[in-house]
Amino acid sequence: MARVRVKTFSVIRDVLGSDVVEVDVAGPETMGGLFKALRDRYGLPFTDKIWDRNTGEMAAFLIKLNETIISSTSDMDRKIQDGDEIAFIFPIGGG
């Protein structure tokens, strides 16, 4: 099991209710496993912010895994370890 710290911003922080949450990822110990653990813990409010209901696809955003930037759409098999720090970086919209 990997216990990781997830730093959140913007709409995800609102759903998770905190700037930082600790999450136990039982398996697989991957980014995909982390998102499953977050869906299980926070339910539909989290799912609605991350996945498109019509297509079932994950939204495109960046993830910082320790000091490495990875992608939400192509790095779900990336291994995570106990003590990793992860941040979700959503694009800022506006005009």
Side-chain angles (χ1 to χ4, degrees):
M1 177 178 302
R3 175 171 279 187
V4 298
R5 289 174 45 98
V6 178
K7 296 180 180 182
T8 63
F9 307 94
S10 185
V11 295
I12 299 302
R13 178 186 57 222
D14 295 343
V15 171
L16 275 54
S18 180
D19 292 339
V20 178
V21 295
E22 288 195 354
V23 181
D24 291 325
V25 181
E29 293 178 358
T30 62
M31 289 303 301
L34 169 62
F35 279 94
K36 180 187 179 315
L38 288 167
R39 283 193 317 263
D40 291 349
R41 186 169 169 180
Y42 295 100
L44 197 55
F46 176 75
T47 302
D48 281 348
K49 298 296 183 195
I50 301 292
W51 282 271
D52 183 307
R53 278 190 176 191
N54 296 321
T55 66
E57 293 181 12
M58 183 179 277
F61 59 93
L62 296 177
I63 301 167
K64 185 177 179 189
L65 173 57
N66 299 315
E67 297 302 317
T68 303
I69 301 295
I70 61 175
S71 170
S72 67
T73 57
S74 62
D75 289 308
M76 289 297 101
D77 291 332
R78 181 70 63 110
K79 298 286 185 192
I80 59 174
Q81 299 178 31
D82 195 52
D84 280 348
E85 290 197 2
I86 297 157
F88 301 148
I89 306 167
F90 278 80
I92 297 173

